[in-house]
């Protein structure tokens, strides 16, 4: 399916999205990380949204942009977890049927939350799930499909994060954003280009899958090997075709971190800030702390906190295998 997107999300669309989402999403705090060193690091805590991630912004924005006729048969999406949670939450508020097409290895904690919100869940193999993102549809499910990445209203909702950051930290120089499909990074970068052109968006990836870094280096979209890890919110094998023109024009740098660096960032957030982040949510902090993007006044979008409790316990206690794929090992405790 061929989709044509503008070179950035218009600022007016982001301002309209901010009005649409105000009854569902919260204005999250921006707090400074206590850190002894040359870096000034701030944290945008999207973990505090009602569904535990930033995705509620794009979900509410997209639903609010559709008229009643298009919503009559309900809505559906393809999501590994957080976008599905955002749409399920907003759909329940409006008594809309909602279906989530999820990969078969979607995190159990997110599936349980979807069930609590009344969502219909359709698990499919990862390759089929990725094709839904490419095709923008799934045969056999009724309703309006809302793309979790390239929907303009979704990206406009994501861009509201940048407007809040600039209100609280007008001198920000770099905004570190986890890069999965690019909808969050491009929404934020669009707002920054309009309001604070000197600020840069840094896309953050893990070494188990880094299509953004590879594609930026090559100057064209690339397919890369990708491996499953506890960082389940990001890490595909490529960039969606319709997103590449946006990505190459808006994202000014990328940083790849290891799973161990990500686990370290999770521990720092819990121990210093009492903030729980999932893997993808901690990747921006890991990238900022790595120094690979230099210094300056930096803001890390801590995008979500929906991590399996056993995984979190294993990471915090540095249990063997804590960062490996699959169920988290039980943390080691003293007898």
């Amino acid at each position: 399916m061929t989709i044509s997107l503008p070179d950035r999300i218009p600022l007016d669309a982001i301002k309209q999205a901010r009005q649409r989402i105000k009854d569902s999403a919260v204005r999250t705090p921006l707090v400074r990380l206590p850190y002894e060193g040359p870096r000034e690091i701030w944290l945008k805590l999207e973990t505090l949204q009602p569904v535990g991630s930033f995705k509620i912004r794009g979900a509410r924005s997209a639903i609010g942009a559709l008229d009643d006729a298009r919503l009559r048969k309900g809505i559906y999406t393809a999501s590994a977890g957080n976008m599905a949670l955002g749409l399920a939450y907003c759909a329940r508020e409006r008594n809309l049927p909602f279906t989530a097409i999820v990969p078969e290895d979607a995190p159990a904690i997110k599936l349980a939350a979807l069930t609590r919100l009344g969502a219909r869940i359709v698990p499919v193999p990862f390759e089929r799930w990725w094709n839904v993102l490419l095709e923008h549809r799934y045969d056999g499910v009724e309703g309006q499909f809302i793309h979790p990445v390239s929907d303009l209203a979704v990206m406009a909702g994501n861009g509201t994060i940048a407007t809040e950051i600039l209100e609280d930290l007008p001198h920000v120089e770099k905004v570190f954003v986890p890069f999965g499909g690019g909808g969050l990074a491009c929404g934020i970068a669009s707002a920054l280009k309009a309001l604070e052109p000197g600020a840069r968006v840094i896309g953050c990836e893990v070494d188990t899958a880094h299509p953004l870094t590879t594609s930026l280096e090559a100057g064209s979209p690339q397919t890369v090997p990708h491996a499953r890890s506890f960082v389940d919110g990001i890490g595909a094998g490529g960039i969606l075709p319709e997103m590449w023109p946006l990505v190459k024009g808006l994202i000014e740098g990328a940083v790849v971190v290891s799973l161990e660096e990500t686990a370290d960032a999770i521990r720092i957030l819990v121990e210093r800030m009492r903030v729980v982040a999932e893997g993808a949510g901690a990747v921006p902090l890991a990238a900022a702390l790595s120094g690979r993007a230099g210094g300056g006044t930096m803001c890390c979008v801590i995008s979500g906190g929906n991590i399996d409790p056993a995984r979190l316990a294993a990471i915090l206690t540095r249990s063997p295998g804590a960062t490996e794929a699959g169920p988290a090992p039980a943390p080691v405790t003293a007898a």
Side-chain angles (χ1 to χ4, degrees):
M1 183 174 183
T2 302
I3 301 292
S4 179
L5 297 173
D7 59 0
R8 71 176 65 173
I9 310 305
L11 182 59
D12 283 347
I14 295 170
K15 290 179 176 179
Q16 291 165 13
R18 191 163 180 180
Q19 290 301 308
R20 286 197 297 270
I21 72 173
K22 63 183 181 181
D23 63 339
S24 298
V26 300
R27 191 188 192 287
T28 54
L30 187 74
V31 297
R32 186 167 180 177
L33 176 72
Y35 180 75
E36 295 180 5
R39 305 178 189 93
E40 182 182 341
I41 298 177
W42 295 79
L43 311 173
K44 181 64 169 168
L45 299 180
E46 289 296 294
T47 55
L48 299 180
Q49 292 292 356
V51 295
S53 90
F54 77 96
K55 292 285 191 178
I56 195 170
R57 295 176 184 263
R60 179 64 184 91
S61 174
I63 290 176
L66 296 170
D67 59 33
D68 291 342
R70 295 178 69 182
L71 292 172
R72 188 172 299 119
K73 294 184 178 180
I75 56 176
Y76 73 102
T77 195
S79 167
N82 282 340
M83 184 60 175
L85 286 173
L87 284 169
Y89 183 92
C90 296
R92 189 178 69 167
E93 284 187 325
R94 289 152 187 78
N95 295 314
L96 297 172
F98 171 67
T99 299
I101 314 299
V102 305
E104 289 175 332
D105 61 352
I109 188 173
K110 296 177 182 178
L111 296 179
L114 284 173
T115 299
R116 289 196 300 271
L117 289 169
R120 175 192 174 201
I121 300 171
V122 179
V124 298
F126 182 88
E127 292 76 14
R128 181 68 189 96
W129 177 81
W130 181 254
N131 282 336
V132 178
L133 296 180
L134 294 173
E135 298 166 2
H136 292 238
R137 64 183 178 83
Y138 182 81
D139 294 338
V141 174
E142 286 192 331
Q144 174 69 41
F145 179 73
I146 295 178
H147 200 283
V149 176
S150 63
D151 185 287
L152 288 174
V154 168
M155 287 190 280
N158 297 338
T160 62
I161 294 173
T163 64
E164 294 176 10
I165 291 172
L166 289 175
E167 288 169 0
D168 293 341
L169 192 67
H171 60 291
V172 66
E173 297 173 78
K174 297 167 186 171
V175 179
F176 290 76
V177 183
F179 189 93
L184 175 60
C186 289
I188 288 176
S190 292
L192 291 178
K193 290 289 186 186
L195 297 170
E196 186 57 41
R200 299 168 55 206
V201 167
I202 309 296
C204 305
E205 300 179 295
V206 285
D207 56 12
T208 51
H210 43 83
L212 172 65
T213 303
T214 304
S215 298
L216 290 177
E217 290 173 350
S220 61
Q222 302 292 308
T223 300
V224 300
H226 64 287
R228 183 183 174 206
S229 79
F230 77 95
V231 184
D232 56 75
I234 59 176
I239 295 176
L240 294 167
E242 67 264 30
M243 290 299 295
W244 174 245
L246 263 177
V247 168
K248 71 177 181 180
L250 290 171
I251 310 307
E252 298 184 49
V255 172
V256 178
V257 299
S258 69
L259 295 178
E260 286 302 326
E261 287 175 310
T262 304
D264 287 342
I266 289 174
R267 285 188 283 267
I268 287 170
L269 287 167
V270 170
E271 293 167 3
R272 295 192 195 178
M273 307 300 295
R274 303 299 184 263
V275 169
V276 172
E278 61 189 271
V283 164
L285 177 58
L289 290 172
S290 75
R292 294 178 197 125
T297 302
M298 301 179 282
C299 176
C300 300
V301 179
I302 310 302
S303 59
N306 295 314
I307 186 171
D308 179 80
R311 174 73 66 183
L312 177 62
I315 289 173
L316 294 178
T317 56
R318 302 177 187 270
S319 298
T323 61
E324 295 177 1
V332 177
T333 57

